[in-house]
Amino acid sequence: DKSSDYLKKSIENTDANASKYLTIQILLDWGVTLEIQSKWDRALRCYVEILEFSDKQYITLISSLTKNLARILNRVGEAQFNLIWCEITGKECVGEIREAVWSARDSLDEEG
């Protein structure tokens, strides 16, 4: 819980001129911390927030993000994942992001 609080404060204290890369990395770290704590909906919120303001120049982080989303999908199941996603974004998880997450989930299943 302390690390989660620390990461939350890091986000809150990041000024508007801070590096987008740093903000994305903090959100990724916070999301992983929340996953470890089995706080799936809060972790998913971190990852969706990244998607909302990231762009193609951060593709290596987006790749990591897709794997993180796939872990949550694998853990909570499709129905719960879709429910949480809709609550966060107000819309269904569709298109490229859905294909990437489901594909990454399938890769997780193959890896064991």
Side-chain angles (χ1 to χ4, degrees):
D1 286 337
K2 286 183 182 181
S3 59
S4 185
D5 290 341
Y6 174 77
L7 290 165
K8 181 179 179 183
K9 287 178 185 176
S10 295
I11 291 294
E12 291 169 353
N13 293 323
T14 302
D15 70 30
N17 297 320
S19 165
K20 209 183 235 193
Y21 183 89
L22 176 62
T23 302
I24 291 170
Q25 190 60 59
I26 291 169
L27 283 168
L28 276 171
D29 291 346
W30 189 12
V32 170
T33 299
L34 291 166
E35 281 187 66
I36 291 167
Q37 297 171 341
S38 298
K39 296 178 180 176
W40 312 112
D41 58 332
R42 292 177 60 197
L44 187 54
R45 282 184 193 280
C46 286
Y47 302 148
V48 169
E49 190 171 332
I50 293 168
L51 288 172
E52 290 177 351
F53 69 82
S54 62
D55 51 39
K56 298 289 185 198
Q57 86 184 68
Y58 303 104
I59 196 68
T60 57
L61 290 176
I62 298 301
S63 176
S64 177
L65 175 62
T66 302
K67 292 175 187 173
N68 294 6
L69 290 167
R71 278 197 313 269
I72 293 175
L73 172 61
N74 203 31
R75 184 69 173 174
V76 302
E78 290 185 28
Q80 186 66 19
F81 183 93
N82 285 325
L83 179 68
I84 296 168
W85 186 278
C86 284
E87 287 175 3
I88 294 168
T89 65
K91 56 188 174 188
E92 292 184 19
C93 181
V94 296
E96 284 182 41
I97 188 65
R98 185 184 191 287
E99 289 176 26
V101 172
W102 264 247
S103 177
R105 189 254 338 243
D106 295 343
S107 295
L108 288 175
D109 290 342
E110 291 169 5
E111 293 171 7

